[in-house]
Amino acid sequence: MTETTDDRAKASAADDTATPLSSIGLIFACGFIFSCLDSSGKYLVTQGLAAPFVAWMRFAVHLVLVLILFRSWRNRSMFKVDNLPWQMIRGLFLFGSTLFNFFALRTLQLAESVSIFFFAPMLITALAGPFLGEWAGWRRWAAVCVGFIGVLVITRPGLGTFSTGHVFALGAMTCYSCYVILTRRLNATESPESLIFYSALTPVILMFPAVPLYGSMPADSFQWLILLSMGFYGAFGHYMLILAYKKATTYALAPYPYLQMVWMIGFGYFLFDDLPDVWTLLGAAIIVSSGLYIVHREHRLRLASRSIPHAESAALGKKL
């Protein structure tokens, strides 16, 4: 029996929406691990350690673990690079995201900072047009605008609640969005191992001269334990993300990273006696809804492009 275009489209849709329980479990565990990372960073910077030093140590330990995890003494592919300058810029964006996040967490609640961070998929959608040629249609642009309203609900500028912490949180989200854009751009020429390796190596080397200026040694063994564990959280969390997305598509897993909000609220309450106010929860709900809508529209675009092989992607994007 001859397979029709509709049959192929339906098969592709089924593959895209298939979500193994193991992938969901990995994403949920990632939310827990990354919440541990942010909670550890918040604890250390509120205890007086300098945010640049905490961020640098997070990547230094991460680098050591990556060298061990990928067996660098055997796996030479992780050192091969086709575009070193862009690899380095990408690594600096990831470091900037971590650094700004730690600055933000000195004054913001965990749930507050992660809610602003959830706007990243919308900013990536906006940046993908000029930088990657992946132009969004008017519906996705509308979702980006709605998501930005959610950010305004959380920060409420002009009402006395907007602070430097919010500025740092927005900076962390922007740096992360640029990091993702460069990851998409470099995926075609660089190996996954090199992308992980150089994203850790770059900040460790380039920021090393600043360590003596910002280095502030932990006060006791407990703070040392927390500081060293952050590299483990970062490396292991990203490794689990890779495993999750090997088993399921971005579309299938799209709702589950937002479950990190549950962990962040729990950590904030039990560790720092913080509970998000109604404005933070409302803004987070708006941002999450907009993000899920954008993922849905992008999924529709992929399915349509598969079922209409000769359609112009730009014209199709405007319809979607």
Side-chain angles (χ1 to χ4, degrees):
M1 182 180 294
T2 303
E3 186 181 31
T4 66
T5 301
D6 288 342
D7 292 334
R8 289 193 296 270
K10 289 178 181 178
S12 297
D15 291 340
D16 281 355
T17 56
T19 315
L21 288 177
S22 58
S23 293
I24 298 175
L26 285 169
I27 291 294
F28 197 58
C30 284
F32 174 80
I33 291 173
F34 287 139
S35 297
C36 289
L37 175 61
D38 283 355
S39 300
S40 299
K42 181 175 177 62
Y43 170 77
L44 291 174
V45 296
T46 54
Q47 290 297 308
L49 270 70
F53 176 69
V54 174
W56 184 86
M57 281 293 296
R58 170 255 186 273
F59 281 98
V61 177
H62 184 167
L63 177 62
V64 173
L65 291 176
V66 166
L67 290 171
I68 297 173
L69 182 65
F70 289 114
R71 298 182 179 182
S72 58
W73 55 93
R74 293 182 181 178
N75 184 10
R76 299 300 179 184
S77 63
M78 65 185 293
F79 302 109
K80 295 179 181 178
V81 58
D82 289 336
N83 198 325
L84 183 59
W86 282 114
Q87 283 264 28
M88 296 174 65
I89 293 172
R90 175 179 171 273
L92 286 177
F93 274 127
L94 182 59
F95 179 78
S97 176
T98 302
L99 177 62
F100 286 141
N101 187 45
F102 289 163
F103 274 127
L105 287 172
R106 290 188 301 184
T107 56
L108 297 186
Q109 296 181 3
L110 291 170
E112 206 172 0
S113 66
V114 79
S115 296
I116 295 174
F117 206 82
F118 284 159
F119 184 70
M122 278 137 278
L123 183 57
I124 292 168
T125 298
L127 294 176
F131 288 103
L132 299 177
E134 301 173 2
W135 296 98
W138 69 268
R139 292 181 178 86
R140 280 176 288 163
W141 272 109
V144 170
C145 294
V146 171
F148 185 67
I149 292 174
V151 174
L152 294 178
V153 169
I154 295 172
T155 58
R156 303 189 296 285
L159 298 179
T161 58
F162 190 75
S163 66
T164 54
H166 293 109
V167 175
F168 284 127
L170 290 169
M173 181 269 299
T174 302
C175 283
Y176 178 76
S177 300
C178 294
Y179 163 79
V180 172
I181 289 292
L182 285 178
T183 300
R184 288 186 182 180
R185 181 173 179 175
L186 293 172
N187 265 336
T189 58
E190 310 291 344
S191 67
E193 293 86 355
S194 71
L195 289 171
I196 295 174
F197 172 67
Y198 283 100
S199 66
L201 178 67
T202 299
V204 169
I205 293 178
L206 295 185
M207 300 305 298
F208 180 75
V211 172
L213 299 176
Y214 295 101
S216 48
M217 293 299 102
D220 50 42
S221 57
F222 179 72
Q223 287 190 5
W224 268 113
L225 177 63
I226 297 297
L227 183 63
L228 295 176
S229 69
M230 294 176 64
F232 167 80
Y233 295 141
F236 194 53
H238 283 288
Y239 182 67
M240 293 180 71
L241 273 180
I242 293 172
L243 293 179
Y245 284 105
K246 278 186 177 180
K247 299 180 179 181
T249 64
T250 302
Y251 173 74
L253 294 176
Y256 302 104
Y258 293 114
L259 292 175
Q260 186 180 352
M261 175 63 79
V262 177
W263 293 118
M264 295 293 261
I265 292 175
F267 277 93
Y269 176 72
F270 288 107
L271 297 179
F272 304 104
D273 198 25
D274 289 333
L275 278 176
D277 59 21
V278 65
W279 294 108
T280 299
L281 295 176
L282 176 60
I286 294 172
I287 293 171
V288 170
S289 300
S290 301
L292 291 176
Y293 180 79
I294 285 177
V295 172
H296 169 71
R297 299 308 299 186
E298 290 177 347
H299 177 64
R300 288 279 305 276
L301 175 60
R302 286 196 300 272
L303 291 183
S305 64
R306 290 172 185 172
S307 61
I308 312 174
H310 302 294
E312 291 291 338
S313 60
L316 193 58
K318 292 178 181 178
K319 296 178 182 178
L320 296 172

